[in-house]
């Protein structure tokens, strides 16, 4: 009788794990749709990029990445190893910073089973003309997306220095078989 309960428990646990593995990749898309259609978050994030200089709301105390079209407002991780990538967007140490101009490069995971909403899960929602904001050391930088492309992981040119102030975001793609990189490039529009 006890073994029957153990077998039933193991069967239920196995079904739960399998269901999670199957459903987890779809959860972020459903949550994004729900949040985009039931809140004013998109409008608020867009407004935050255009608040007058000196406004307390517009100047967070940490370095942040704000992408309204992704409903994203998150701290930027710094670090010299890949460990920084595990907890959010990682500013690549070989790239520039917004205050120095050049190519600021930020990478992020698209999907992980330990945190189903990878920080750049919605990077494919960004389109040419969208705005991206970075709050860096008390200053706001607003970029406009000029291109999105897919490149092989061996294409290191996306991290190359540039003369103009540029933001490069990238993640793995496609979602189910991440063999390439989805790259978003944006040019600096204004800073305050």
């Amino acid at each position: 009788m006890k073994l029957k309960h153990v077998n039933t428990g193991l069967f239920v646990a196995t079904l739960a794990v399998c269901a999670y593995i199957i459903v987890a990749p779809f959860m972020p898309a459903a949550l994004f749709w729900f949040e985009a259609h039931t809140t004013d978050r998109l409008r608020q994030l867009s407004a935050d990029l255009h608040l007058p200089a000196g406004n307390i709301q517009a100047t967070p105390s940490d370095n942040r990445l704000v992408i309204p079209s992704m409903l994203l407002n998150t701290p930027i991780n710094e670090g010299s190893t890949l460990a920084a990538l595990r907890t959010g967007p990682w500013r690549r140490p070989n790239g520039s910073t917004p205050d120095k101009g050049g190519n600021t490069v930020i990478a992020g995971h698209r999907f992980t089973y330990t945190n189903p909403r990878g920080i750049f899960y919605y990077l494919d929602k960004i389109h040419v003309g969208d705005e991206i904001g970075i709050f860096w050391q008390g200053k706001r930088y607003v970029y406009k997306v000029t291109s999105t492309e897919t490149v092989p992981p061996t294409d290191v040119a996306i991290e190359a220095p540039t003369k103009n102030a540029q933001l490069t975001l990238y993640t793995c793609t496609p979602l189910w078989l991440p063999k390439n990189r989805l790259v978003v490039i944006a040019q600096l529009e204004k800073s305050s």
Side-chain angles (χ1 to χ4, degrees):
M1 188 68 162
K2 289 183 182 179
L3 287 178
K4 184 177 180 183
H5 292 300
V6 170
N7 282 343
T8 302
L10 288 173
F11 178 72
V12 170
T14 302
L15 282 178
V17 168
C18 289
Y20 174 75
I21 289 171
I22 292 169
V23 171
F26 300 102
M27 289 171 41
L31 292 172
F32 179 83
W33 182 91
F34 181 77
E35 192 171 0
H37 289 86
T38 61
T39 67
D40 286 334
R41 191 150 178 232
L42 175 64
R43 190 177 351 203
Q44 181 59 47
L45 289 172
S46 294
D48 287 349
L49 293 181
H50 299 287
L51 289 173
N55 187 310
I56 290 189
Q57 283 181 299
T59 312
S61 59
D62 57 353
N63 296 330
R64 299 189 77 74
L65 176 64
V66 178
I67 307 175
S69 58
M70 287 177 52
L71 301 177
L72 182 71
N73 182 351
T74 188
I76 298 171
N77 292 328
E78 294 287 316
S80 58
T81 66
L82 282 172
L85 186 59
R86 291 188 193 122
T87 57
W90 174 39
R91 188 191 64 80
R92 298 281 288 150
N94 56 332
S96 187
T97 58
D99 57 334
K100 294 179 183 170
N103 191 9
T104 301
V105 180
I106 299 176
H109 281 304
R110 182 91 186 265
F111 178 81
T112 64
Y113 275 102
T114 55
N115 180 10
R117 185 176 175 174
I119 203 69
F120 281 169
Y121 187 92
Y122 307 123
L123 197 64
D124 62 336
K125 304 281 187 215
I126 296 178
H127 302 290
V128 171
D130 287 355
E131 289 184 325
I132 299 173
I134 291 185
F135 293 94
W136 188 264
Q137 298 180 351
K139 208 168 173 191
R140 176 180 44 202
Y141 300 85
V142 179
Y143 297 83
K144 187 164 279 200
V145 175
T146 56
S147 69
T148 62
E149 59 185 306
T150 301
V151 300
T154 55
D155 185 353
V156 294
I158 61 172
E159 293 190 14
T162 59
K163 290 181 182 179
N164 57 332
Q166 173 178 303
L167 174 64
T168 302
L169 308 174
Y170 72 89
T171 191
C172 296
T173 199
L175 186 59
W176 308 113
L177 181 61
K179 61 181 181 175
N180 291 314
R181 301 289 178 263
L182 176 59
V183 181
V184 172
I185 296 174
Q187 302 298 320
L188 182 66
E189 289 281 305
K190 60 183 172 183
S191 62
S192 57

